[in-house]
Amino acid sequence: MKAIARKIVVVIVVLLIAAVAYLSFWPVPVEPVPWQASTPPGYTGAHAPNSRLSGLRTIAIGSETGPEHIAIGKDGKVYAAMTSGNLLRMEPDGAQQEIFANTGGRVLGFDFDAQGRLIAADAMKGLVAIAPDKSTTVLTDHVSANDPIRYANSVVVAPDGTIYFTDSSTRFAPADWVGTYAASVLDVMEQSGTGRILAYEPATNTTRIVARGLSFANGIALSVDGHTLFVNETARYRVWKIDGRAHDVEVQSGSPQAKILLDNLPGYPDNLMRGRDGRIWVGLVKPRNPAADSLADKPFLRKVLLRLPRSFLPLGKPYGHVFAFDEDGRVTEDLQDPSGAYPETTGVTETEDRLYIHSLDAHEIGWLPPITSDSTAADSEPTPEEIYVLRSIREQHEPVAGWCASAKTGFEPFPQDAERFFSFWSLRLRPEDGRVVETKDTRVAELRACFGATKERARQNFYAEVSLGSLSFQGNGECLAVRTDFPEAGLFPVRCQLVLSGLPPPYVGGLLTTNTLTSQVALGGDTDPPGYTQASIATIRLWQQQ
């Protein structure tokens, strides 16, 4: 038996040594560069949490997925680039869908030139022109003989005919890494800053470097005068303002031709699209993850991560977020969906009638009615308070031993059914009188609670931990049974209140109150007797430091 035990120990030691050796020395294709990540700002200020992107209306696209980029053609039709490589064409309402073209690669961004050609940034093939008759021509796939375009991503056509586009990485080509996602992960993890902005001159059939030194150059848009470029640097969470007439400018050199316009964004910026009334729209494909930022100055650990399955990568949780800014960098609109129901929002195409929302993985095209002037965030003064009105539903939840311990909650929990879990949903109101017409629109928050007895039978101690969008906080308070068997037998109206704490700056505290109705059915939103809204209509007020 001792001999067998020794063999087992030897095997375990050998396996551990092999695992350490693999994680430390197995070759990976990146050479990570240390950099300094700013402290994530969270969802504050112009990006304060909201649900304006929730409840998208949708256009079905059959078996297609991933409308990563959407634009309006010279014919007034909607064009959308899909994961399959297909470019769909349809009426603005989604009718009469057809496959307009397929380049055989992966189109990530496109625009239209004066001749009506669709000019595509194809991650596999370079810069491609597709004529109205659907004939396809590769305009450029090299800057020079020994300088290939490896990751064409986004494109914009200037009034003078110049075609500006981003080459996200000169290190990692999607054609070499089984697709755009794998190549982008490698470039973002390496942070070597090889992304660049290129300009193709149709008259001379030449391509030049406008600027370089970007960590995954992505979305691109033009100023009204056609000379200034706005460019997303995805891996560094920022937007640049760059002179389109520049020649081979290193953006980190301090040149006056390249300046940071928006920095330290709360997520990874993807597409840029000009909208109406001076708006420039950007999509944040994922929120930031503090774990990823903590690895900025740890290149060795980034290598270790790439030796693990991709599921170990510190990705942000699903969170829909798009916003608009003007040419001076002032945020003028901000639309969020904390539930992330429409996945990985990459951008916005704005028309007179709709906002089309781009996505990496959606199985439909999401859209909203147009922005109206009275909803413009920039027209309102900053307020010290955020108010949310939501509906809660109790859901099945497996209690965790000790989670409701008095050392945390400040009171002894009930011996049975002390720990409970609730989902929170946005509401829809009738504008003319404020009456609620939909009590379960979009899931936006979660609450995990503990309850315990007090000296008064009708009163209970109440402790909760809440997740609302990117915010996490807790609260202590109480619930009071108002009456029993009211408004009919089997119904129990209750009111609860929590004083909120543990909020990140600039929040200083808050209050959660509920107007609650429970019934003989503890779980779910359907009451017994039927016809009522269970469990709560809740108000959350969050206060900021002034």
Side-chain angles (χ1 to χ4, degrees):
M1 291 298 292
K2 289 183 178 180
I4 294 174
R6 281 197 297 270
K7 288 182 180 180
I8 292 174
V9 170
V10 170
V11 170
I12 292 173
V13 170
V14 169
L15 289 175
L16 286 174
I17 292 173
V20 171
Y22 170 78
L23 292 174
S24 301
F25 303 112
W26 189 263
V28 292
V30 304
E31 288 298 332
V33 175
W35 65 289
Q36 188 63 46
S38 301
T39 301
Y43 290 88
T44 60
H47 303 299
N50 64 75
S51 57
R52 296 177 65 198
L53 195 62
S54 300
L56 288 178
R57 306 173 193 184
T58 59
I59 294 171
I61 51 177
S63 61
E64 298 284 359
T65 60
E68 206 274 350
H69 188 83
I70 301 168
I72 309 301
K74 301 292 183 182
D75 55 5
K77 294 187 177 182
V78 174
Y79 291 72
M82 300 292 165
T83 303
S84 65
N86 288 334
L87 284 161
L88 296 190
R89 179 169 64 182
M90 65 193 77
E91 296 296 329
D93 63 357
Q96 300 181 29
Q97 292 185 17
E98 62 173 330
I99 297 174
F100 171 68
N102 188 315
T103 63
R106 175 64 165 113
V107 173
L108 295 177
F110 58 92
D111 198 4
F112 294 86
D113 66 9
Q115 291 76 47
R117 298 185 302 172
L118 187 152
I119 307 299
D122 188 313
M124 309 289 187
K125 295 181 175 294
L127 190 67
V128 177
I130 305 172
D133 65 2
K134 303 184 181 182
S135 60
T136 301
T137 305
V138 176
L139 298 177
T140 180
D141 57 8
H142 281 73
V143 176
S144 60
N146 297 316
D147 188 2
I149 297 165
R150 302 187 58 123
Y151 200 142
N153 193 320
S154 296
V155 61
V156 65
V157 180
D160 66 3
T162 303
I163 301 172
Y164 297 99
F165 62 107
T166 53
D167 185 13
S168 293
S169 172
T170 61
R171 289 269 292 134
F172 304 103
D176 298 336
W177 294 99
V178 201
T180 56
Y181 177 73
S184 68
V185 167
L186 293 174
D187 194 80
V188 171
M189 291 293 283
E190 185 172 79
Q191 289 280 348
S192 55
T194 66
R196 56 190 181 171
I197 305 160
L198 305 177
Y200 174 74
E201 305 288 353
T204 59
N205 192 33
T206 58
T207 305
R208 64 180 171 86
I209 301 172
V210 177
R212 54 187 169 82
L214 298 160
S215 286
F216 205 78
N218 205 327
I220 189 168
L222 266 172
S223 60
V224 172
D225 65 14
H227 297 307
T228 301
L229 298 167
F230 301 92
V231 181
N232 283 338
E233 187 180 17
T234 300
R236 298 287 177 93
Y237 321 116
R238 57 194 180 192
V239 181
W240 287 82
K241 192 172 184 177
I242 297 172
D243 189 343
R245 295 159 292 194
H247 287 268
D248 201 19
V249 168
E250 165 58 60
V251 296
Q252 310 294 345
S253 68
S255 169
Q257 290 184 301
K259 298 180 180 180
I260 296 173
L261 182 67
L262 293 169
D263 199 6
N264 204 22
L265 295 172
Y268 294 89
D270 200 314
N271 294 341
L272 280 173
M273 293 285 287
R274 285 213 74 101
R276 295 167 58 82
D277 300 326
R279 289 185 282 270
I280 303 171
W281 287 96
V282 57
L284 299 182
V285 67
K286 286 274 191 184
R288 289 170 67 170
N289 186 325
D293 286 342
S294 71
L295 297 173
D297 59 351
K298 301 175 181 65
F300 173 75
L301 290 181
R302 279 185 268 152
K303 273 192 171 184
V304 171
L305 262 181
L306 287 174
R307 295 181 180 113
L308 296 170
R310 291 294 182 259
S311 59
F312 283 84
L313 290 175
L315 302 176
K317 63 182 181 180
Y319 194 98
H321 193 180
V322 300
F323 69 91
F325 61 92
D326 62 21
E327 293 193 6
D328 294 321
R330 185 178 66 110
V331 175
T332 59
E333 295 287 346
D334 189 86
L335 286 69
Q336 300 175 32
D337 177 10
S339 75
Y342 188 75
E344 300 184 312
T345 45
T346 55
V348 177
T349 298
E350 183 179 9
T351 69
E352 183 179 358
D353 301 314
R354 301 187 184 208
L355 297 179
Y356 297 95
I357 311 300
H358 312 180
S359 168
L360 275 184
D361 292 315
H363 293 260
E364 59 276 313
I365 295 174
W367 67 275
L368 289 171
I371 294 293
T372 55
S373 58
D374 61 354
S375 67
T376 302
D379 291 341
S380 60
E381 291 296 324
T383 63
E385 181 177 58
E386 297 168 15
I387 300 176
Y388 302 85
V389 181
L390 308 170
R391 182 263 184 101
S392 73
I393 296 177
R394 185 179 175 188
E395 298 185 359
Q396 185 69 46
H397 176 71
E398 189 66 32
V400 176
W403 194 83
C404 285
S406 59
K408 176 169 66 175
T409 65
F411 57 83
E412 288 297 326
F414 286 128
Q416 301 290 330
D417 197 31
E419 183 182 339
R420 305 171 198 173
F421 180 84
F422 298 83
S423 58
F424 279 72
W425 301 76
S426 60
L427 310 175
R428 290 187 187 177
L429 307 180
R430 194 164 63 185
E432 59 268 27
D433 58 8
R435 180 175 177 176
V436 175
V437 295
E438 173 57 65
T439 60
K440 191 181 178 183
D441 189 7
T442 303
R443 185 173 177 142
V444 298
E446 295 177 348
L447 182 147
R448 188 177 176 186
C450 292
F451 295 88
T454 69
K455 294 180 179 180
E456 299 178 47
R457 184 178 179 183
R459 196 179 302 270
Q460 298 179 0
N461 285 312
F462 181 21
Y463 168 85
E465 295 182 3
V466 185
S467 294
L468 173 64
S470 64
L471 295 174
S472 295
F473 47 90
Q474 66 268 359
N476 284 86
E478 63 179 19
C479 292
L480 178 67
V482 179
R483 292 181 65 175
T484 58
D485 294 323
F486 183 78
E488 59 178 291
L491 296 175
F492 311 93
V494 177
R495 66 171 183 262
C496 299
Q497 180 173 293
L498 286 173
V499 176
L500 304 178
S501 60
L503 287 143
Y507 298 98
V508 294
L511 189 67
L512 184 154
T513 58
T514 76
N515 179 332
T516 303
L517 190 67
T518 60
S519 74
Q520 299 172 86
V521 179
L523 302 176
D526 298 325
T527 56
D528 179 18
Y532 298 88
T533 299
Q534 182 174 277
S536 302
I537 301 298
T539 302
I540 301 176
R541 307 176 77 126
L542 301 179
W543 301 311
Q544 297 188 22
Q545 180 73 51
Q546 294 300 298

